[in-house]
Amino acid sequence: MRESAVEFANSLIDTMLDRGGPSNLVEDYAVALPIQMLSNLLGVPPEDRAKFQKWSSATLSVANMPQEEVEANMIELVQYMLALIEERRREPREDLLSDLANARDRDETLTDAEILPIALILIIGGFDNTANFICSGVLSLLHNPDQLKILLDDVDSVVPTAVEEVLRHGRFELGRPVAGAGGLVPFVATEDVEFDGVLVARGDAILVDPGSAGHDPAAVAHSETFDVLRTENPHLTLSYGLHHCLGAPLARMELQVAISELFKRLPDLELAGEVVVDETNLTQPITSLPVTW
């Protein structure tokens, strides 16, 4: 999928150049790229991008949205997906949603009750965090011109380690003392365990902040430094073990393509205003990243 990602990234950059700066990188690039790739993979019409952004925002909302509005958006999303699954069952295509929709009739490994939540998780989780890390990565590079120079000197060779550093560094580039966004769903302790003198009892919920974990000096040397050449980088941003993100290879590829193509085409990219973060959303996405060139 990398080739199509490169092609689409450059078409988005062409549009930005034609329109001229300044540009809100969130709307014009960071969200559009992963939604397009997810649409290609799943078989979701890309023209429905605005709907999925709205539904995702409602699904992840933690404040400032009435419960009735959240529920209405969730009902819309479920109805849309049920109709799309049925359509793919009648007329299958070369996409993941068609495979899911027809698994029931092929070998009964998936029921309809299982197909829907799988599709919903893939859609909601498949673009929101990737878009956010594209923004965090661009912001981190713009705030660290010495590291941006290292990237620009050899983009293709440096971008794999740069992306891992973006994933580790996370939201700290926003100037906060801790990342604070949580970023993962709560885990439940299956046995009593003690952390730093605090007992977590069996059955207790634990919310992990991967961004803070990625800045633990016991695990990462000079963790406060943003280093695009860092090779020892055991971050937990994509979780671990059984809970490791199943979309990790896709997310890494999209981040590598988004960052490398953007700075190849716009090496003089710079901030053109204040960054805006939506504090009412579970993932606390960057909603405005004004840039010019």
Side-chain angles (χ1 to χ4, degrees):
M1 296 177 67
R2 184 179 293 265
E3 186 176 333
S4 61
V6 169
E7 181 179 350
F8 188 64
N10 278 283
S11 72
L12 292 171
I13 296 168
D14 288 342
T15 301
M16 288 166 57
L17 288 170
D18 289 343
R19 187 184 302 145
S23 168
N24 179 2
L25 201 70
V26 179
E27 296 176 355
D28 296 340
Y29 190 71
V31 171
L33 178 60
I35 283 188
Q36 177 69 30
M37 301 313 296
L38 193 67
S39 299
N40 293 348
L41 177 67
L42 278 174
V44 174
E47 60 268 22
D48 290 336
R49 165 183 148 194
K51 294 180 184 178
F52 283 103
Q53 284 182 261
K54 179 173 78 83
W55 292 332
S56 176
S57 295
T59 304
L60 299 171
S61 176
V62 294
N64 291 342
M65 184 178 288
Q67 182 68 21
E68 297 78 14
E69 187 176 344
V70 172
E71 291 173 357
N73 276 281
M74 287 299 295
I75 290 170
E76 284 182 24
L77 174 57
V78 168
Q79 290 175 336
Y80 176 94
M81 289 309 303
L82 286 173
L84 195 58
I85 289 168
E86 188 56 38
E87 180 182 319
R88 292 294 185 270
R89 186 167 283 147
R90 291 194 313 268
E91 301 176 14
R93 302 180 185 180
E94 294 293 324
D95 56 50
L96 183 55
L97 199 57
S98 295
D99 289 345
L100 287 170
N102 290 282
R104 179 196 67 178
D105 301 326
R106 189 169 54 246
D107 55 15
E108 298 185 347
T109 53
L110 285 175
T111 66
D112 280 358
E114 293 170 319
I115 293 168
L116 178 62
I118 290 171
L120 293 177
I121 289 170
L122 289 171
I123 289 168
I124 299 300
F127 75 87
D128 181 87
N129 277 312
T130 305
N132 211 15
F133 274 106
I134 292 172
C135 294
S136 294
V138 170
L139 188 60
S140 297
L141 286 161
L142 294 180
H143 281 175
N144 293 272
D146 59 324
Q147 298 303 300
L148 177 56
K149 183 180 184 306
I150 293 172
L151 176 75
L152 291 174
D153 286 345
D154 192 354
V155 175
D156 291 333
S157 295
V158 174
V159 77
T161 53
V163 162
E164 295 307 310
E165 184 70 342
V166 167
L167 288 168
R168 179 195 73 84
H169 194 63
R171 313 302 298 282
F172 279 75
E173 209 54 51
L174 292 170
R176 299 173 178 177
V178 293
L184 294 176
V185 296
F187 294 89
V188 177
T190 57
E191 60 184 54
D192 289 355
V193 61
E194 187 173 298
F195 282 120
D196 196 26
V198 177
L199 175 66
V200 178
R202 178 181 177 180
D204 282 353
I206 305 170
L207 187 62
V208 179
D209 183 352
S212 293
H215 286 71
D216 183 354
V220 181
H222 307 294
S223 60
E224 75 285 354
T225 303
F226 181 71
D227 180 2
V228 295
L229 297 177
R230 189 186 300 275
T231 54
E232 296 296 320
N233 201 345
H235 64 77
L236 296 176
T237 301
L238 295 167
S239 199
Y240 181 76
L242 177 68
H243 298 280
H244 187 254
C245 174
L246 95 135
L250 179 62
R252 283 188 164 99
M253 181 275 284
E254 290 173 353
L255 284 165
Q256 290 172 11
V257 168
I259 290 172
S260 61
E261 296 306 309
L262 183 68
F263 283 105
K264 282 179 184 177
R265 298 284 304 278
L266 300 172
D268 297 324
L269 195 75
E270 60 183 35
L271 285 173
E274 293 296 319
V275 177
V276 178
V277 176
D278 181 3
E279 305 284 359
T280 70
N281 188 290
L282 183 65
T283 57
Q284 295 185 6
I286 296 173
T287 56
S288 179
L289 181 59
V291 295
T292 190
W293 50 88

